[in-house]
Amino acid sequence: MSHRKPFIWFTILLMVASVASLAINKINWGLDFTGGTLIEVEFSQPADLTEVREVMGTNGYPDIVAQYFGSQTQVLLRMMPREGIDSQHLGDSIMGLLRSEVDADVEMRRIEYVGPTVGKELAEQGGLAIIAALGCILLYVAMRFEWRMALGAVLALAHDVIATLGLFSLLQLEFDLTVIAALLTVVGYSLNDTIVVSDRIRENFRKLRKGDPEEIIDVSLTQTFNRTIVTSLTTIMVLVSLFMLGGELIHNFATALLFGVFIGTHSSIYVASTLALYLGIKKEDFMPKEIEEKEGADQDPIA
């Protein structure tokens, strides 16, 4: 807790930068939210996705997303909407490129157009899912611990979500449904860390007879520090492998998780507990309420 002030300033600067980036750069919405064209094709032999992406990128389709669909001969292509070009002409152009430069026997199995209305609904539902999760967490932590701890925990979780959104906005990474899933995972992971710390703070407020709130919170953070760091490092090791070797399809998912776990560890140590301290948490808030015994309640009843 002696280092909380520089970390709080870091948190404030991070929030300001994230909000500024979201206001200026906006979010680079993916096909799930903007709508676009989806084409399923079948090759005569196992397809090389890297080659397919390079061919599409050098011929005016750098935003195309290619992934296997069922087998290595079936590939799903997704791309952003093009102004002035309908799905049929776009499909003919894509198939012409694939037949001339990748596989002359490639066949189109289906072509679909995802409208922007459906994408808007998905964006709203994803945002509502995150807000609903934060609301339920606020209620749960308030019932289990104390409202100052609950408010600190929810603000810490909101900090994690905003910071991750700011990273995607700053780097203009594509934001799709997998990133929504990653954000919800980050919320759950960070909450788990925060609950462990909050539980130890509550226990020490009841057990330690001496010490002001800052000292008790400091002792609690020190006792849980090793557990928090070891858990985060082992999780980050897995996520680094996923980030490096998982492929392009889950690259943004792994990016959101990797950054979210890092920033969530920071918030569970410094943000949640520091906010609770600034809100005036004290020992009396965790003491059970005494029930005054009625006069004569301890006497034997008259036979």
Side-chain angles (χ1 to χ4, degrees), residues 49-59:
L49 293 184
T50 302
E51 181 185 4
V52 172
R53 295 187 187 106
E54 288 178 354
V55 169
M56 294 294 104
T58 55
N59 287 276

Side-chain angles (χ1 to χ4, degrees), residues 34-291:
T34 61
T37 303
L38 181 148
I39 303 174
E40 181 185 346
V41 297
E42 184 171 6
F43 292 85
S44 59
Q45 55 188 0
D48 184 350
L49 293 184
T50 302
E51 181 185 4
V52 172
R53 295 187 187 106
E54 288 178 354
V55 169
M56 294 294 104
T58 55
N59 287 276
Y61 300 99
D63 60 332
I64 199 164
V65 176
Q67 64 187 94
Y68 291 121
F69 188 72
S71 68
Q72 291 189 345
T73 60
Q74 296 178 347
V75 175
L76 199 64
L77 303 173
R78 298 185 300 166
M79 65 204 73
M80 305 292 282
R82 258 64 175 184
E83 294 184 4
I85 304 178
D86 58 26
S87 299
Q88 187 61 45
H89 287 86
L90 187 60
D92 293 340
S93 175
I94 295 295
M95 294 305 297
L97 287 172
L98 292 176
R99 287 177 179 139
S100 63
E101 301 194 32
V102 181
D103 185 351
D105 298 324
V106 65
E107 295 181 358
M108 181 189 296
R109 296 177 61 89
R110 65 186 170 102
I111 181 169
E112 296 178 0
Y113 176 73
V114 180
T117 302
V118 176
K120 184 178 180 182
E121 291 177 357
L122 289 174
E124 292 176 353
Q125 291 172 1
L128 288 175
I130 295 176
I131 294 173
L134 294 178
C136 292
I137 290 167
L138 175 64
L139 182 63
Y140 165 73
V141 181
M143 292 174 61
R144 181 172 175 180
F145 296 101
E146 204 268 341
W147 71 267
R148 295 176 182 84
M149 296 296 296
L151 188 57
V154 171
L155 290 177
L157 296 178
H159 156 273
D160 301 340
V161 173
I162 294 172
T164 306
L165 289 175
L167 175 71
F168 272 72
S169 173
L170 180 64
L171 301 180
Q172 284 296 287
L173 299 175
E174 185 175 310
F175 192 93
D176 53 21
L177 286 177
T178 64
V179 180
I180 291 285
L183 286 176
L184 290 172
T185 306
V186 167
V187 167
Y189 180 89
S190 182
L191 174 66
N192 180 61
D193 264 356
T194 304
I195 290 296
V196 170
V197 174
S198 299
D199 194 56
R200 184 57 60 89
I201 290 175
R202 178 181 63 177
E203 179 184 339
N204 284 336
F205 264 117
R206 292 175 176 176
K207 184 173 66 175
L208 300 179
R209 297 182 178 275
K210 296 182 180 180
D212 57 25
E214 181 179 343
E215 292 173 342
I216 293 176
I217 292 176
D218 185 68
V219 169
S220 304
L221 291 175
T222 302
Q223 291 173 348
T224 58
F225 187 78
N226 286 340
R227 178 261 171 205
T228 300
I229 296 300
V230 169
T231 303
S232 298
L233 286 179
T234 52
T235 306
I236 287 174
M237 288 170 61
V238 175
L239 292 176
V240 167
S241 300
L242 194 64
F243 178 83
M244 300 295 293
L245 306 174
E248 183 179 350
L249 187 61
I250 60 172
H251 184 77
N252 290 341
F253 173 79
T255 301
L257 279 178
L258 190 59
F259 181 76
V261 168
F262 171 77
I263 207 69
T265 302
H266 156 73
S267 69
S268 63
I269 295 174
Y270 283 106
V271 178
S273 54
T274 302
L275 287 174
L277 181 63
Y278 286 157
L279 289 171
I281 196 169
K282 54 187 181 298
K283 186 184 292 286
E284 290 76 10
D285 297 326
F286 295 94
M287 292 295 139
K289 296 181 179 179
E290 297 182 358
I291 302 177

